[in-house]
Amino acid sequence: MIEPSNRSTALRLIPRNIATAFICLGLMLPAFGQQPFQTLLVGVDHRTVTSLNGDWHYLVDQSPAHALYTRNGAINDKSYAMNDHPNIVGKHNEEYDFSNAPTLKVPGDWNTQVPQLFNYEGVLWYQRDFDAQPKAGTRTFLHIGAANYRSHVWVNQKRVCDHEGGYSPFDCEVTAVLHAGSNFVVIAVDAARLIDGIPSVGIDWFNYSGITRDVSLVTVPEAFIDDYDIHLAHGLRFEPGNTELTGYVHVLDAPAGTSVTVDIPEAGAKATVKTNAEGNAPFSVKATKLILWSPESPKLYKVSLASGDDKLTDDIGFRDIRVDGTRILLNGKAIFLQGANMHAEAPIRGGRANTDQDVATIFSYLKDLNANFVRLCHYPHDERMTRTADRDGIMVWSEIPNWQGISFDKPEVYAKDVVMLNEMIRRDRNKASVILWSVSNETPNNPTRTKFLINLANEARRLDSTRPITSALNSAHIEGSTATLNDPFADALDVIGINEYIGWYSGAPEDADTMQWTLPQKPILMSEFGAEAKYGNHGATDQRWTEEQQVYVLQHQLAMLNKIPQVRGTIPWILMDFRSPTRNIPKLQDGYNRKGLISEDGKKKQAFELFQKVYKEHSVGKAE
Ligand code: GCB
């Protein structure tokens, strides 16, 4: 186990490591796009912030996006970012004007807000004014929950940051460019898919674009708490009486010896520690009483952190998750994961899920299904999801968007991945509900990807040694009635996810009945299986696209899964139908992947009832 203090130091060394890797390989650091991991404030949703959600002006910068890119592909800092206004008489400026431009709601994908932008995957510029009253001795950050896919941000005409990655938060420090009174921010978001992006160009979900999550201004003292990790001490084995809480609080730009207090009154735990030369304050404290977090009792504690003038209070649960042989143990007890997959798709209204209402509806479906687990596909979802999972007692698989083919041979893609992994783990490491970090989904079994992903899995362990690492593999070789997983990447995983579609993409549903699986002696989660059905389409069990056939496929799957001794979780694909531009069968798909147990407008298919009953009766799978 890596000591917390070292873990956090390691995390902060990443930028230098990435830079060094680039230099050693004789590569230039990218001119734009993914920057080395930058300040990322943890617990922003538990701070008092100034929301910049609301109406933002927008202008479309169609390909080749002359306003954003110069002829040689560099970022143009002198065009729309200037936000000056047309000068019809006198010197002529570029022909744009935000002040009279239409508006988009932030957060929100642009696709579902403006019909003409439904299929747009290019550059769009956002602008809004805001008031600020900066105070001496404070710093201000612009926090962006997520913007898909590349973002370039200017405040008062100065570029403050660039970010690549559509599903994780980033912060841009704006202290030096803010002034008292009216300020403005301009953000160019480029949604173009990139071969060397993560994900790459081919995806089976809708590329909802734009500023899709909350935006806020966060004001903090000069030295402030940017990161913390507070968890139940994770020793070699689970000790039932363990009440030791450990971790670190990092105070950015604090001189060594700065005092930090961690106070959890309800658990009777309080520690005052000092920062080291890196601003990190590792701590360990015994709680006098502790109720461990579990789905049955999702207990969260108010955890107050304070250092100098900075303080915040988070809601954190404490639990132990680990693998023992083929078992997954939560607080020492073997568990079976009754799950479902879910994309970040808003039920009923459609679009990217990013509101309290979207999240409440998704969790009401999970509860109704009697699920205790959700795989959040295929990228980190809005933080409301993991917050709600914490409160509702639903365990979570969280994943970075390494989906199928990405450029595994490119060091710069690895560098992007490390940043995305950092961003995911850093935002959610204090969420008790998150029990698994997944580094990929359905990647090709070849030495280049194996080396890449083994390194990434080890990187995840270096960042967080308290959670098992997983990945969804589709590399099982199925022939006749045998299915064998022979993928060297599986050796590097703690929990193995297997995606297979017997009865839909391959073979007949009944093939599952006699399938003999040869699998590693590790916990196995059937991370995807299913069939498509259009809600309300009825017919015989051998008639594709009917609800009856979907149920039939799933029933045979369940019979098969019940016979595999090390299966520790069932995660049907997928809780709800979701938009995917590759699903083009009119009348049946109409642009939706229809493997949902529920339709996109909230209607429960027969397959939902099947799982609802199976999960209620616990009639599939064994915890040990
Ligand atoms: C898969 C992928 C998932 C797809 C699904 C499907 O194996 O992991 O992203 O959407 O199959 O429906 O084909």
Side-chain angles (χ1 to χ4, degrees):
M1 177 184 159
I2 307 172
E3 282 309 306
S5 53
N6 297 341
R7 265 206 323 267
S8 131
T9 305
L11 192 143
R12 258 167 285 282
L13 285 175
I14 277 176
R16 208 176 307 147
N17 289 350
I18 292 176
T20 315
F22 271 90
I23 292 156
C24 293
L25 290 161
L27 297 167
M28 299 269 290
L29 279 167
F32 56 85
Q34 191 69 48
Q35 298 299 303
F37 184 69
Q38 50 207 4
T39 302
L40 177 54
L41 285 143
V42 175
V44 167
D45 63 344
H46 278 55
R47 284 184 177 273
T48 305
V49 300
T50 305
S51 173
L52 293 187
N53 290 347
D55 294 328
W56 290 54
H57 293 289
Y58 75 91
L59 292 169
V60 174
D61 187 8
Q62 243 180 338
S63 177
H66 279 311
L68 181 59
Y69 301 116
T70 63
R71 273 168 185 270
N72 62 13
I75 296 298
N76 186 353
D77 288 300
K78 297 283 170 215
S79 69
Y80 294 11
M82 293 293 103
N83 185 30
D84 39 23
H85 302 289
N87 193 354
I88 304 302
V89 283
K91 192 170 160 282
H92 196 73
N93 79 343
E94 284 205 49
E95 296 182 356
Y96 74 97
D97 181 18
F98 283 114
S99 62
N100 288 308
T103 57
L104 279 169
K105 290 270 180 237
V106 169
D109 58 83
W110 65 56
N111 316 76
T112 56
Q113 295 192 59
V114 180
Q116 294 87 330
L117 295 178
F118 184 71
N119 285 313
Y120 184 60
E121 295 195 1
V123 174
L124 187 137
W125 292 77
Y126 290 84
Q127 185 278 340
R128 71 163 282 169
D129 298 331
F130 61 94
D131 284 324
Q133 296 301 331
K135 288 199 194 73
T138 66
R139 294 164 74 171
T140 303
F141 289 81
L142 180 70
H143 179 84
I144 296 169
N148 190 25
Y149 171 76
R150 273 195 311 212
S151 309
H152 309 282
V153 184
W154 294 262
V155 169
N156 298 335
Q157 303 185 328
K158 301 274 179 352
R159 180 137 54 109
V160 288
C161 68
D162 307 283
H163 182 262
E164 180 170 346
Y167 304 98
S168 33
F170 57 100
D171 291 282
C172 319
E173 179 151 20
V174 297
T175 315
V177 297
L178 277 192
H179 47 245
S182 183
N183 295 261
F184 63 85
V185 51
V186 173
I187 304 181
V189 180
D190 188 347
R193 306 184 199 194
L194 305 174
I195 287 277
D196 293 339
I198 304 170
S200 187
V201 288
I203 49 173
D204 183 23
W205 69 86
F206 200 87
N207 194 27
Y208 290 117
S209 304
I211 306 176
T212 55
R213 296 190 194 151
D214 297 328
V215 179
S216 55
L217 280 175
V218 190
T219 297
V220 288
E222 266 163 10
F224 64 95
I225 298 165
D226 65 327
D227 183 23
Y228 48 91
D229 171 17
I230 297 153
H231 62 267
L232 190 67
H234 192 82
L236 285 178
R237 63 187 64 80
F238 173 69
E239 305 286 352
N242 175 22
T243 58
E244 190 182 345
L245 303 177
T246 187
Y248 63 80
V249 178
H250 186 262
V251 188
L252 192 70
D253 297 329
T258 299
S259 188
V260 172
T261 305
V262 179
D263 191 8
I264 315 171
E266 203 190 335
K270 185 168 182 177
T272 300
V273 281
K274 303 264 188 235
T275 56
N276 61 21
E278 282 91 43
N280 198 41
F283 74 92
S284 250
V285 63
K286 282 259 179 214
T288 51
K289 44 189 183 301
L290 205 59
I291 298 166
L292 296 187
W293 185 97
S294 69
E296 298 73 39
S297 145
K299 172 73 189 161
L300 300 178
Y301 287 89
K302 293 267 173 231
V303 177
S304 294
L305 309 175
S307 180
D309 291 337
D310 197 20
K311 55 178 184 311
L312 77 128
T313 299
D314 203 342
D315 297 293
I316 302 180
F318 304 104
R319 51 96 190 103
D320 187 278
I321 185 80
R322 65 182 65 223
V323 162
D324 175 40
T326 68
R327 303 182 306 159
I328 300 174
L329 304 180
L330 177 72
N331 302 329
K333 194 171 146 246
I335 51 168
F336 186 84
L337 305 176
Q338 302 194 144
N341 283 284
M342 186 65 197
H343 264 293
E345 186 98 2
I348 301 156
R349 74 175 176 89
R352 189 50 83 225
N354 55 17
T355 67
D356 291 340
Q357 181 59 59
D358 297 338
V359 172
T361 308
I362 293 168
F363 276 84
S364 74
Y365 294 161
L366 289 165
K367 286 277 168 189
D368 203 7
L369 191 67
N370 300 308
N372 63 8
F373 179 76
V374 65
R375 174 176 174 225
L376 301 181
C377 298
H378 284 297
Y379 39 77
H381 290 207
D382 193 287
E383 194 169 0
R384 288 174 175 82
M385 288 292 287
T386 46
R387 287 285 184 202
T388 307
D390 264 9
R391 280 195 303 271
D392 282 14
I394 299 280
M395 295 174 281
V396 170
W397 159 321
S398 183
E399 184 161 291
I400 48 173
N402 282 323
W403 192 86
Q404 296 191 351
I406 67 152
S407 304
F408 290 113
D409 54 337
K410 302 215 170 121
E412 63 271 30
V413 173
Y414 185 76
K416 292 182 196 186
D417 243 324
V418 170
V419 173
M420 288 188 196
L421 187 70
N422 265 281
E423 290 172 342
M424 172 176 78
I425 293 181
R426 187 156 155 137
R427 193 194 75 181
D428 278 348
R429 68 184 317 143
N430 293 303
K431 312 286 194 303
S433 56
V434 178
I435 59 162
L436 292 167
W437 300 125
S438 164
V439 294
S440 60
N441 174 75
E442 296 196 344
T443 53
N445 181 358
N446 63 54
T448 309
R449 90 77 221 233
T450 300
K451 187 162 175 254
F452 182 112
L453 288 182
I454 288 177
N455 286 340
L456 204 61
N458 289 336
E459 185 67 30
R461 285 193 185 94
R462 198 171 67 82
L463 296 169
D464 180 4
S465 59
T466 70
R467 284 177 176 87
I469 305 302
T470 193
S471 172
L473 308 178
N474 66 336
S475 40
H477 182 69
I478 301 180
E479 200 171 329
S481 58
T482 60
T484 311
L485 183 72
N486 204 352
D487 185 334
F489 179 42
D491 299 342
L493 299 173
D494 304 306
V495 172
I496 300 171
I498 303 222
N499 297 356
E500 53 78 22
Y501 284 89
I502 297 168
W504 184 254
Y505 289 129
S506 70
E510 305 82 25
D511 291 352
D513 303 348
T514 49
M515 196 59 65
Q516 295 292 321
W517 283 84
T518 305
L519 292 165
Q521 289 304 305
K522 293 189 176 189
I524 305 287
L525 304 180
M526 256 335 160
S527 38
E528 288 183 28
F529 55 97
E532 296 205 31
K534 165 122 174 157
Y535 171 80
N537 189 26
H538 295 289
T541 54
D542 61 354
Q543 212 180 321
R544 279 168 88 83
W545 306 100
T546 61
E547 289 195 43
E548 287 75 7
Q549 205 227 12
Q550 186 184 30
V551 166
Y552 188 70
V553 168
L554 292 169
Q555 279 168 334
H556 287 273
Q557 284 285 325
L558 290 171
M560 177 185 82
L561 296 175
N562 244 342
K563 287 189 275 186
I564 308 173
Q566 63 273 57
V567 165
R568 298 292 174 238
T570 45
I571 322 175
W573 188 260
I574 183 171
L575 183 63
M576 195 185 84
D577 290 351
F578 60 98
R579 268 204 185 99
S580 171
T582 64
R583 304 294 175 171
N584 278 327
I585 305 178
K587 298 204 164 41
L588 291 171
Q589 293 179 310
D590 297 315
Y592 283 86
N593 183 316
R594 297 262 177 230
K595 297 187 190 75
L597 306 178
I598 307 176
S599 67
E600 77 283 5
D601 52 356
K603 299 197 185 85
K604 288 167 182 156
K605 303 182 195 172
Q606 290 179 5
F608 183 92
E609 283 156 31
L610 169 72
F611 272 91
Q612 189 180 43
K613 182 163 185 293
V614 162
Y615 285 170
K616 180 160 194 247
E617 295 168 356
H618 304 285
S619 59
V620 66
K622 285 182 275 309
E624 49 195 333

